[in-house]
Amino acid sequence: MLNPKASAGSLRNARGVVLIGFMGAGKSSVGRILGEQLGWTFEDLDERIERREQRSVPAIFRESGESGFRRVEHAALREVVRELRAGAARIVALGGGAFAQARNARLIEAAGVPTVFLDADVEELWRRCRQQAEMQGIERPLLGSPESFRSLYQARRPSYLKALFRQETGGKTVKRIAAEMAQVLGLDRGTKKPGEKK
Ligand code: S3P
């Protein structure tokens, strides 16, 4: 659960948390619920990219290629990190490839913002992504075939394991994952009760 780099104090004064993990890990849905529980703003990096670019992530991949996407992703992340450094309390969900880019990981680490890796078995991640594609029409440019999905996951996993915390998500509801995370991060003490005003 805990990377040896994490100290008990690493979150005491945290004003932000960055969620990382592969496609289908639940970064955005967990982040949204955790934000509600803590009364913190939730931000999805891909949504910021789309606002900045005025086009969707699949359109960026189609028109500018993966390298074009990584450039705007890095620029958007720099902006978010600047805001976190300035004291914005926020849960930030990154796209699946962001933390696997060394310069992005360095940027987050240098800012001292704690990272949480949302982990799940690759077969479950594939099932979730396929289901989201079929039921919600979610298009993921790098989804590919089951084989390419698996090998991309294996290639990126060592980067994900550099996160300060690892949260297992397999077979758990989004609500339960968020509750476990708040507890492990030591952030549940200030968690809002339903209907309570902060
Ligand atoms: C990507 C994952 C996507 C999105 C982009 C690239 C990746 O985000 O950032 O399509 O490289 O794994 P999700 O992880 O939210 O699907």
Side-chain angles (χ1 to χ4, degrees):
M1 184 58 178
L2 201 61
N3 188 308
K5 281 189 293 183
S7 72
S10 51
L11 275 145
R12 198 146 302 141
N13 300 312
R15 300 275 300 154
V17 173
V18 172
L19 306 184
I20 68 160
F22 204 55
M23 293 174 263
K27 303 172 294 278
S28 301
S29 24
V30 170
R32 216 162 258 124
I33 302 241
L34 187 62
E36 275 167 26
Q37 285 179 359
L38 301 174
W40 287 17
T41 305
F42 167 74
E43 159 128 22
D44 183 316
L45 186 69
D46 281 344
E47 285 175 8
R48 180 181 290 237
I49 293 169
E50 292 183 334
R51 275 198 311 275
R52 276 174 66 112
E53 287 289 300
Q54 291 293 301
R55 49 188 182 146
S56 68
V57 167
I60 302 173
F61 269 81
R62 264 194 312 275
E63 295 159 11
S64 312
E66 181 173 351
S67 60
F69 174 77
R70 297 298 168 208
R71 259 195 309 278
V72 287
E73 180 179 57
H74 181 68
L77 182 64
R78 290 191 86 86
E79 210 174 72
V80 172
V81 167
R82 218 175 11 249
E83 292 166 14
L84 288 172
R85 277 182 184 275
R90 205 173 290 171
I91 313 270
V92 183
L94 304 190
F99 199 72
Q101 306 284 312
R103 61 180 181 163
N104 293 341
R106 276 198 304 271
L107 190 65
I108 295 165
E109 230 180 88
V113 184
T115 40
V116 181
F117 167 31
L118 297 189
D119 199 6
D121 176 72
V122 69
E123 304 307 324
E124 181 167 341
L125 294 170
W126 171 257
R127 272 197 304 278
R128 291 182 196 165
C129 288
R130 288 296 315 151
Q131 198 175 23
Q132 288 167 6
E134 279 158 31
M135 316 270 285
Q136 300 163 43
I138 295 181
E139 191 186 339
R140 289 186 160 98
L142 295 181
L143 189 63
S145 66
E147 294 72 30
S148 65
F149 187 86
R150 260 185 235 121
S151 58
L152 189 58
Y153 172 84
Q154 294 305 340
R156 286 180 178 172
R157 196 174 157 79
S159 308
Y160 298 148
L161 287 170
K162 290 183 185 147
L164 221 43
F165 296 88
R166 189 182 70 84
Q167 169 67 48
E168 183 55 53
T169 68
K172 295 178 187 172
T173 63
V174 167
K175 225 167 148 187
R176 178 165 160 212
I177 299 164
E180 285 184 9
M181 273 173 62
Q183 197 181 27
V184 169
L185 297 171
L187 295 170
D188 59 330
R189 284 180 292 279
T191 303
K192 284 197 293 181
K193 307 263 179 329
E196 181 190 345
K197 290 214 175 80
K198 268 239 159 156

